[in-house]
Amino acid sequence: METYIRKMAWLLDNDQSLEKIGLTKLHLQGDHPPWQDFAVPQPGPDHGLLGTHSSQTQDVLREQIKKTQSQKVQTTEEWIRHYSLESLQLTLEHLCSRNSGNSEEMEFTEETVNDFESRLSDVIELYQHRIEWLLQDSRKVFGVIKGTKVGLLVDVSHLSYGPRLLDFQKNLLCLIDEQLCYKEQLYCLSFSTEISPLWESPKTINIHVLHEVRQWIQELEPGRGCNLLKALRHVLPMKELNSLVLIVGSCPDQSFEILCDYAQQCMLGRKVQIHTVTYDCSNPASLAVLKNLAEAVRGRYHCYSSKGENFDSSDFHLLLQESQKAKDLLKSIKQTFQGRVGGLLGSKRAEVCTEFANTAPSSFFLKPPEHKAPLVIQTPGILAKTSADWLKTYGLKAKKLDLYQVLAPNAFSPVEDFVPILKKTVSSTLHEKLMIQFEWHDGTVKNIHVDLPVLYNYQKLLAKMVRIYEKRIDWLSVASRRIWGSVCERRVVVLVDISVTNSTYISHIQHSLRLLLEEQMSNKDFFNIIAFGSEVVPWQQELCPSQPENLEKAWRWVLSLECKGSRNFMSALRRAVEVDFKDKDKQKSQGLYLLTTGIPDQETHTISAYVAEACGGFDLQLHVCLFSVTAGTGSSGIVPARYASPREAASAFREIVQAAKGRFHWFGEAGIFESDDITCIISEMEKAKNYSQKCAFLVESLKQRSVNQSVKPLTPEGDSNVPMRNKIRKPQKVPSPKPTAVLKDVKDNHGGERNTPVRVQAWRPPSAKAGIPPGTIYQKYPKAMCVRKSVCSVILPEEEEICSSKEWLTKYSIKKLKLELPRLMFGPGCIHQKKTVESLHKEVSAKYCSIFPSAEINGVVKHLQFHPKELETYTEQLEKALQRYIQRVQWLLSGSRRLFGTILEANVCVLIDTSGSMGPYLPPVTKELTSLIWEQLRKNKVRFNLLRFADNTESWRESLVEATDESCHDAVQWASTCRAHGNSCILAALQKALSFQGVEALYLLTDGKPGTSCSLILKEIESLIKKQDTKIHTICFSCADRGAVEFLKKLASQTGGRFHCSAGGEDGQLAAHRILTEGLDDEDNPVFPYFEGDDLKKLTQEVAKARSFLKQAKSWRLLLEKWNTNQKDKSGFQKSVQD
């Protein structure tokens, strides 16, 4: 540490800093190069200005320099105003104004064209010099600082003792000496979790202030946390400052929205320039937050990386745009006037023009170190896996860490049985004192014995797995995997988009390919690279082995790529499938990886159909890596055949990837926006979090029960794992039993002897052959009671009730109708069991076991103690209920209920998705919507509104309206105008629908996942629903997209609504018809299709349960009839023998 301090003392020497200010290197006063903002003049003659002391001389010089700089400092925006093509009169309109011909035909002299071209080349050279100048000294690290009264906010959370801290302090010193020392006032503040200002208020700059700043820089120490909001709250209220410089090296603790809102509120009515600097930070979130913050407050941003990988600047983008305009204009002029002025110009100036015209815009960007150096090939230890395959080994279920797997040994189903003497079914109450009731994954309720040590160890294992998942996400987010994802196949073809719109980013594309070749291709069997613009340019005509020399040759070929044309993706895809993968049916593990920045020339459905056919039935997948470029930096040359926003392009490629059974990876300069691999891991992490929360619920429930019942802990204090073995519990008096039917009958039979206990005698068998189980015998027996339940007559409504299946079954389920076969037919005495006779030292069966027939039910042998007539009555009632269930299924599948489900509420809003993916479905939706309006809304007098959404939302009316004939006609006409286009903005649609006054429920009809984050929508809706009691019912066309189905189910469940899916409706109607016509006996044929929707799913499950009971009842009836026949034959035979 002392070594670093000595180095800093030498570095911060005031004399050396003054020497660097410009007393030796900078030129004399006069005109400065136009690409520079300013030039520091050297001192001229004395003129009485020089002092006798060095500090006086420095003060005088500084005042003179400051006066000059205040007039000449310019940002790139101001510089562009003076040197843009428009201000220099170098646009095509200005050239046309120099026309020497008539108005019908334009003519230009060779001298005019040469002059115009030479001026354009000069301007291009000027732009290049400006860029080179921006890449020097402190401008390279921090950019050009604007303003005269500057607040400097420095983040120290990213620092660490050592070379990084030294480099950062050195760069800050250069910033002070080269730019900030020429300002009028300065305010310095460092921040991490807390803020540390240098002064209480801004200081006027002089030699003493600069010395304090240098000392402050020397004393900077690393901190933790990046509380940027706290720093802004301290500085923004200072009215003296007109410029803020934010230097941040890590991700701020606050979100972009919070920082942006606060900054915009504080800057209302003020002219404060905010300049954000990302200093050597590889965190994509930090880059995105600061860049978006600068754009939101109309400031400027600058991103510096010591490795040159993420270099970015708003100044650069402005210069590159203007430079590209000049190059395009120069190229167009040369092509237009080549044949009219006697061929190509032969002067040296023409050569310069050609040289600059052919210069790629990407050459102005900082390239990564050793961009053109030979590859440094790495050999992966193992073959990469997709996250889905990886989770087969490391998922919670694979590791046997599923919560239900852990709880299964201590989970017990609730026990209910019929007590004959009480004449009712009694549920076991043991769980109320010893167990916790817990909902199982299948919807049933289990009694759980909570083992605290087991749950504690389980939660530790869950935390360990979450850390493993976080490490995998980190691994997927760095190096080449940040761009390409994980390349898993053995035979790989890479498709690279080199359309003209990627001219600015060709160095990015080349660097991406370099990383891929170095890190992920050396362990493949074969590979090839195909570049495509308007034309397809393959590296090799067929797949080549992934040998180091081939990888190096491919890299050299990549360096020669030039961007031109549009995006003819279909031709490149067909070339790869039909040439490189011509024998795809004979090979395994084959993959296509597409790197592109925009939507292809061909229609999405055309590409999807082709890839579905090409990949179907073969081990071939297409994976898409979509690179979202920064808006406004693309080429202004050839316009692509199709244009789409980044979200529209992502939606199109999702559809293509789904057809090819591949993976989608969407990234940009700010980081990864979406990745199927990462989404799988996050889903598993959310599952682990859910399991951990359920464990916490079990533990908390156990603690609460212990508190309520005043149960003493079973473990001593200080060690929860050691049982209390030595503690002696005092005997407690057993309370008197509550009056029961048995005691009541005994007391009645004994008359007034209420206090006399029931007299019993011990019973012993007369011989060892006795078969009666031991026990006690009453001297007086209670009155015999019937133990059998009678079958109730079923009464069901003929008219359909408008309610959900859940509500309907609470009144008419099999359990509510008392038609559950096991509970109805069996009591405690029906169980076949042996009891131990102590005197005989063996188990003895009861004599009545041979009187009744036996059957095995759920693994338990029971006696059938009922008559065939009782089973016949039960069968009739159950068939009656079953027919009514199936009639309701038919009703739910008829009319508009098949698509929309049942409208239950009196005030609703129906939301229709009209995005581009809804194109094939809109005609039938419009037809069914008409049916819904008249059949359910008008008939039931429901107040309603309609709302359609794609990129934007559009409502039929501004509020809910009564369902009159006139309004229904108007709604049907409005619905017929729906057209499919754009993306799905589900969140905006839900927010607008929830704003309608008095709305009780929303019915959301869509075909898939939204364009935005599903978790974000669920979170936003959860906060909105807390303010108003509104249900959201979700409706889906198809259940093929499991991600969309799970999202819609969660959305409905979260708001108390229902999920409905129209898939399987026709098959369900056919199955219902066959069941009613062919009979109800066979539970396996015909069967209903599996319904995902809540209403149909619950009802068909009840139908399946009823059919199972019906089949069992009929089989038992046959068994009883056969048993009775055998008993009659046996008794007749015994009678004949006795005779």
Side-chain angles (χ1 to χ4, degrees):
M1 180 58 65
E2 293 180 358
T3 305
Y4 288 121
I5 294 175
R6 287 197 298 269
K7 288 183 178 180
M8 281 306 305
W10 175 82
L11 180 66
L12 299 176
D13 188 273
N14 193 34
D15 294 336
Q16 182 189 24
S17 302
L18 289 175
E19 180 180 356
K20 191 175 180 181
I21 289 177
L23 298 180
T24 59
K25 294 184 178 180
L26 298 177
H27 53 271
L28 297 174
Q29 293 182 1
D31 294 337
H32 59 278
W35 60 83
Q36 297 186 8
D37 280 338
F38 56 84
V40 181
Q42 289 186 348
D46 186 348
H47 298 300
L49 295 177
L50 295 180
T52 58
H53 194 272
S54 60
S55 61
Q56 297 176 0
T57 304
Q58 292 163 7
D59 291 339
V60 173
L61 288 176
R62 194 173 304 281
E63 291 299 326
Q64 181 180 358
I65 292 171
K66 189 182 300 182
K67 183 177 180 180
T68 305
Q69 300 320 314
S70 63
Q71 299 172 356
K72 296 186 177 181
V73 170
Q74 287 183 325
T75 62
T76 300
E77 295 93 331
E78 297 169 341
W79 188 89
I80 284 290
R81 294 193 194 105
H82 296 90
Y83 297 101
S84 66
L85 298 181
E86 183 69 32
S87 60
L88 296 176
Q89 297 184 354
L90 289 176
T91 62
L92 188 60
E93 290 77 6
H94 292 100
L95 178 61
C96 293
S97 65
R98 301 171 66 177
N99 173 27
S100 59
N102 53 35
S103 58
E104 296 180 358
E105 183 177 356
M106 302 182 69
E107 295 181 359
F108 299 91
T109 64
E110 182 176 356
E111 195 176 305
T112 301
V113 175
N114 288 345
D115 177 65
F116 197 83
E117 287 183 351
S118 64
R119 292 177 61 197
L120 276 177
S121 65
D122 289 338
V123 169
I124 295 173
E125 186 177 5
L126 180 65
Y127 294 152
Q128 186 177 10
H129 283 306
R130 171 77 181 186
I131 291 176
E132 292 173 353
W133 181 78
L134 287 173
L135 294 176
Q136 296 174 1
D137 302 326
S138 65
R139 295 180 294 276
K140 175 182 176 181
V141 182
F142 302 105
V144 178
I145 307 301
K146 176 67 174 175
T148 57
K149 301 176 182 179
V150 180
L152 180 64
L153 283 67
V154 180
D155 169 29
V156 295
S157 62
H158 64 101
L159 301 178
S160 59
Y161 291 106
R164 181 179 175 87
L165 176 59
L166 184 63
D167 291 341
F168 183 63
Q169 291 171 325
K170 179 180 178 181
N171 290 327
L172 279 178
L173 176 67
C174 293
L175 176 65
I176 297 295
D177 291 339
E178 294 178 4
Q179 297 192 56
L180 297 185
C181 66
Y182 304 116
K183 307 300 181 182
E184 294 180 4
Q185 290 185 355
L186 183 63
Y187 183 80
C188 298
L189 177 145
S190 64
F191 66 94
S192 53
T193 303
E194 300 295 333
I195 60 174
S196 177
L198 178 58
W199 308 296
E200 294 183 359
S201 60
K203 297 288 185 179
T204 302
I205 292 180
N206 54 48
I207 190 65
H208 302 292
V209 169
L210 293 176
H211 181 71
E212 289 183 26
V213 174
R214 293 190 187 95
Q215 293 295 335
W216 173 72
I217 293 174
Q218 183 179 2
E219 295 170 359
L220 287 178
E221 294 183 355
R224 294 184 178 181
C226 180
N227 196 345
L228 179 57
L229 179 62
K230 190 170 186 178
L232 290 175
R233 284 179 173 174
H234 183 79
V235 176
L236 279 176
M238 296 183 180
K239 304 297 184 181
E240 305 95 327
L241 301 178
N242 57 22
S243 177
L244 291 182
V245 181
L246 312 180
I247 304 176
V248 180
S250 59
C251 185
D253 297 342
Q254 295 80 21
S255 64
F256 158 72
E257 291 79 8
I258 296 175
L259 295 173
C260 181
D261 289 345
Y262 180 76
Q264 288 177 336
Q265 292 175 10
C266 292
M267 293 173 60
L268 287 175
R270 294 179 57 192
K271 292 183 179 180
V272 180
Q273 179 75 237
I274 291 186
H275 181 85
T276 63
V277 179
T278 307
Y279 181 85
D280 207 8
C281 177
S282 59
N283 190 342
S286 178
L287 305 180
V289 168
L290 291 181
K291 184 175 180 179
N292 294 335
L293 176 62
E295 292 176 348
V297 298
R298 297 183 180 181
R300 296 156 55 239
Y301 66 90
H302 186 88
C303 175
Y304 167 74
S305 172
S306 59
K307 299 179 180 179
E309 294 179 353
N310 298 319
F311 188 86
D312 194 10
S313 171
S314 54
D315 290 346
F316 266 40
H317 289 310
L318 290 173
L319 290 170
L320 286 174
Q321 288 180 16
E322 205 67 20
S323 177
Q324 188 61 42
K325 290 179 184 178
K327 290 178 184 178
D328 292 337
L329 180 57
L330 181 60
K331 186 175 181 180
S332 176
I333 292 173
K334 292 185 69 65
Q335 292 175 351
T336 303
F337 296 100
Q338 181 175 352
R340 298 192 180 188
V341 295
L344 290 173
L345 300 177
S347 65
K348 185 176 181 180
R349 179 66 65 182
E351 296 176 2
V352 175
C353 295
T354 304
E355 178 183 354
F356 280 102
N358 294 331
T359 302
S362 59
S363 63
F364 296 149
F365 277 112
L366 284 179
K367 294 182 173 61
E370 300 181 355
H371 180 64
K372 296 185 179 181
L375 298 178
V376 182
I377 297 175
Q378 306 171 14
T379 303
I382 57 174
L383 186 66
K385 291 183 179 180
T386 64
S387 290
D389 292 337
W390 186 80
L391 287 174
K392 292 178 182 178
T393 305
Y394 297 98
L396 295 178
K397 191 171 184 180
K399 290 292 185 180
K400 296 184 179 180
L401 290 177
D402 187 284
L403 177 62
Y404 305 103
Q405 291 175 315
V406 175
L407 295 179
N410 295 326
F412 306 92
S413 299
V415 177
E416 291 185 2
D417 216 336
F418 182 77
V419 179
I421 203 168
L422 299 180
K423 300 181 183 181
K424 65 178 180 178
T425 300
V426 178
S427 299
S428 172
T429 59
L430 183 64
H431 70 274
E432 295 180 358
K433 295 184 178 180
L434 301 179
M435 298 183 182
I436 301 297
Q437 288 196 325
F438 182 73
E439 184 177 356
W440 212 244
H441 60 81
D442 58 357
T444 61
V445 177
K446 300 280 187 181
N447 296 325
I448 305 295
H449 171 67
V450 180
D451 192 336
L452 293 179
V454 170
L455 290 185
Y456 174 72
N457 291 330
Y458 173 64
Q459 286 190 309
K460 288 175 62 178
L461 292 174
L462 282 181
K464 181 179 178 181
M465 292 306 300
V466 169
R467 289 193 293 270
I468 293 175
Y469 297 149
E470 289 175 346
K471 289 181 180 179
R472 174 153 181 101
I473 292 177
D474 293 339
W475 180 78
L476 289 170
S477 303
V478 297
S480 62
R481 293 174 295 276
R482 176 180 176 271
I483 301 169
W484 300 92
S486 182
V487 179
C488 307
E489 292 79 9
R490 305 290 307 182
R491 296 160 60 89
V492 177
V493 173
V494 181
L495 306 177
V496 183
D497 174 12
I498 57 167
S499 59
V500 71
T501 52
N502 293 337
S503 299
T504 308
Y505 288 89
I506 185 61
S507 60
H508 292 67
I509 294 173
Q510 290 172 342
H511 184 62
S512 301
L513 287 167
R514 179 188 177 94
L515 292 176
L516 177 67
L517 294 173
E518 286 181 336
E519 299 177 5
Q520 300 198 57
M521 296 304 295
S522 60
N523 64 341
K524 310 303 178 191
D525 293 339
F526 296 92
F527 81 105
N528 197 4
I529 303 176
I530 300 175
F532 66 91
S534 296
E535 300 178 354
V536 178
V537 183
W539 169 57
Q540 296 292 336
Q541 296 304 316
E542 58 184 11
L543 293 173
C544 292
S546 297
Q547 300 172 352
E549 55 270 21
N550 289 335
L551 294 175
E552 185 64 36
K553 291 178 182 177
W555 169 238
R556 294 300 158 192
W557 176 79
V558 168
L559 287 175
S560 65
L561 292 177
E562 296 181 358
C563 295
K564 53 186 177 181
S566 56
R567 293 189 185 94
N568 192 359
F569 170 56
M570 191 66 175
S571 296
L573 180 63
R574 292 188 61 181
R575 198 271 177 202
V577 172
E578 297 171 8
V579 178
D580 294 282
F581 294 128
K582 58 186 176 183
D583 54 348
K584 59 185 177 183
D585 55 334
K586 302 177 183 178
Q587 303 292 336
K588 299 293 183 181
S589 188
Q590 305 168 100
L592 283 162
Y593 286 81
L594 167 65
L595 178 63
T596 183
T597 60
I599 198 165
D601 295 348
Q602 294 78 19
E603 293 292 336
T604 303
H605 62 84
T606 304
I607 300 176
S608 299
Y610 177 78
V611 297
E613 181 180 355
C615 300
F618 306 103
D619 191 2
L620 174 64
Q621 291 86 31
L622 169 65
H623 313 288
V624 174
C625 306
L626 177 61
F627 176 35
S628 283
V629 301
T630 305
T633 61
S635 173
S636 58
I638 301 175
V639 178
R642 294 180 67 207
Y643 171 78
S645 66
R647 292 189 180 276
E648 292 170 343
S651 177
F653 281 118
R654 284 193 204 99
E655 181 179 342
I656 294 172
V657 165
Q658 186 177 2
K661 299 179 181 179
R663 290 168 289 141
F664 178 64
H665 186 82
W666 183 15
F667 71 101
E669 294 178 341
I672 299 174
F673 303 135
E674 180 179 344
S675 172
D676 289 346
D677 277 339
I678 294 179
T679 301
C680 290
I681 304 299
I682 292 177
S683 177
E684 200 72 6
M685 292 174 66
E686 290 178 349
K687 186 187 297 184
K689 178 184 176 183
N690 183 32
Y691 287 165
S692 181
Q693 290 175 344
K694 289 184 177 180
C695 286
F697 163 75
L698 287 173
V699 174
E700 186 63 29
S701 299
L702 182 63
K703 290 180 179 178
Q704 189 66 30
R705 174 164 295 179
S706 300
V707 171
N708 293 340
Q709 297 181 354
S710 300
V711 176
K712 296 183 179 180
L714 298 179
T715 57
E717 295 180 1
D719 190 355
S720 60
N721 296 325
V722 180
M724 296 179 63
R725 301 180 183 273
N726 301 325
K727 188 174 181 179
I728 300 176
R729 301 181 62 182
K730 296 181 179 179
Q732 297 180 357
K733 184 178 179 181
V734 179
S736 302
K738 295 180 180 180
T740 62
V742 177
L743 293 178
K744 183 178 180 182
D745 289 336
V746 171
K747 292 178 180 179
D748 291 343
N749 291 331
H750 282 274
E753 300 177 2
R754 296 182 177 272
N755 298 326
T756 304
V758 180
R759 296 177 60 188
V760 298
Q761 293 180 351
W763 181 86
R764 290 184 179 272
S767 68
K769 298 181 180 179
I772 302 175
T776 57
I777 301 176
Y778 287 96
Q779 287 183 340
K780 291 187 178 181
Y781 295 92
K783 184 178 180 181
M785 293 179 291
C786 178
V787 301
R788 209 176 277 120
K789 287 185 178 181
S790 60
V791 180
C792 301
S793 178
V794 173
I795 301 176
L796 294 170
E798 296 182 359
E799 297 293 331
E800 296 294 348
E801 297 179 12
I802 300 177
C803 61
S804 65
S805 292
K806 182 179 181 180
E807 296 172 347
W808 195 81
L809 289 174
T810 56
K811 297 184 288 185
Y812 307 114
S813 66
I814 294 176
K815 183 177 181 179
K816 196 68 178 178
L817 296 175
K818 299 182 179 180
L819 290 178
E820 290 184 300
L821 184 59
R823 298 182 181 181
L824 188 65
M825 296 298 176
F826 297 109
C830 297
I831 300 177
H832 175 82
Q833 58 185 351
K834 295 181 179 181
K835 293 187 177 180
T836 301
V837 180
E838 295 181 358
S839 61
L840 301 178
H841 304 289
K842 65 177 183 180
E843 292 183 346
V844 179
S845 299
K847 288 185 176 180
Y848 59 76
C849 290
S850 60
I851 301 176
F852 302 102
S854 302
E856 184 176 344
I857 300 170
N858 296 330
V860 180
V861 178
K862 292 192 176 184
H863 301 296
L864 305 181
Q865 299 179 6
F866 37 76
H867 302 293
K869 185 65 177 178
E870 291 176 313
L871 282 177
E872 182 179 352
T873 304
Y874 171 81
T875 302
E876 292 176 356
Q877 298 301 321
L878 187 59
E879 286 180 346
K880 181 179 177 182
L882 186 55
Q883 288 177 351
R884 184 64 186 87
Y885 291 161
I886 297 174
Q887 289 174 2
R888 184 164 181 88
V889 171
Q890 289 180 318
W891 180 73
L892 290 175
L893 292 173
S894 63
S896 60
R897 287 176 292 274
R898 183 183 66 84
L899 178 61
F900 290 92
T902 309
I903 306 296
L904 307 181
E905 296 79 6
N907 301 277
V908 302
C909 179
V910 182
L911 293 82
I912 308 297
D913 183 0
T914 58
S915 61
S917 57
M918 285 286 293
Y921 307 113
L922 269 185
V925 166
T926 304
K927 181 180 178 181
E928 293 295 335
L929 185 58
T930 302
S931 177
L932 172 73
I933 292 171
W934 292 105
E935 181 184 5
Q936 297 196 58
L937 304 181
R938 179 68 182 95
K939 181 179 178 180
N940 300 324
K941 299 180 180 179
V942 177
R943 294 177 68 246
F944 72 104
N945 197 359
L946 305 178
L947 186 147
R948 57 191 176 200
F949 61 95
D951 288 332
N952 298 310
T953 61
E954 180 183 359
S955 60
W956 168 54
R957 298 287 177 86
E958 293 302 319
S959 60
L960 304 183
V961 299
E962 297 290 342
T964 62
D965 291 344
E966 181 180 358
S967 61
C968 289
H969 279 294
D970 189 21
V972 170
Q973 185 176 3
W974 181 84
S976 64
T977 62
C978 293
R979 297 292 180 269
H981 66 284
N983 292 327
S984 301
C985 58
I986 291 182
L987 179 58
L990 291 174
Q991 290 172 337
K992 183 171 183 179
L994 288 172
S995 67
F996 294 142
Q997 186 176 4
V999 64
E1000 296 177 11
L1002 309 182
Y1003 287 79
L1004 172 65
L1005 176 66
T1006 182
D1007 67 330
K1009 288 193 294 186
T1012 55
S1013 168
C1014 296
S1015 59
L1016 174 63
I1017 295 178
L1018 294 174
K1019 184 178 179 181
E1020 292 292 329
I1021 294 303
E1022 182 180 7
S1023 61
L1024 289 175
I1025 293 300
K1026 289 180 181 178
K1027 303 176 182 177
Q1028 58 185 106
D1029 186 16
T1030 304
K1031 298 180 180 179
I1032 299 179
H1033 307 284
T1034 56
I1035 305 164
C1036 185
F1037 279 103
S1038 172
C1039 297
D1041 188 352
R1042 299 310 304 172
V1045 171
E1046 293 302 322
F1047 162 70
L1048 294 176
K1049 283 184 176 180
K1050 288 181 181 178
L1051 180 59
S1053 175
Q1054 179 176 286
T1055 59
R1058 295 166 294 137
F1059 171 75
H1060 180 78
C1061 182
S1062 61
E1066 296 178 357
D1067 295 337
Q1069 290 175 337
L1070 178 61
H1073 177 73
R1074 288 184 58 193
I1075 292 173
L1076 291 176
T1077 55
E1078 297 177 8
L1080 307 172
D1081 297 344
D1082 189 358
E1083 64 174 329
D1084 298 325
N1085 187 33
V1087 295
F1088 284 109
Y1090 180 74
F1091 291 110
E1092 289 274 358
D1094 294 339
D1095 283 343
L1096 289 169
K1097 182 179 180 180
K1098 285 182 172 61
L1099 198 54
T1100 52
Q1101 287 176 347
E1102 199 72 4
V1103 170
K1105 183 178 179 181
R1107 294 178 74 181
S1108 175
F1109 287 161
L1110 184 62
K1111 180 181 179 180
Q1112 202 168 28
K1114 291 186 176 181
S1115 66
W1116 288 350
R1117 183 181 177 189
L1118 293 175
L1119 178 62
L1120 283 174
E1121 290 175 353
K1122 184 177 180 179
W1123 173 271
N1124 292 336
T1125 302
N1126 292 338
Q1127 290 295 322
K1128 288 180 181 179
D1129 294 341
K1130 185 176 179 180
S1131 61
F1133 174 76
Q1134 290 177 350
K1135 186 176 182 180
S1136 63
V1137 170
Q1138 292 175 358
D1139 294 338

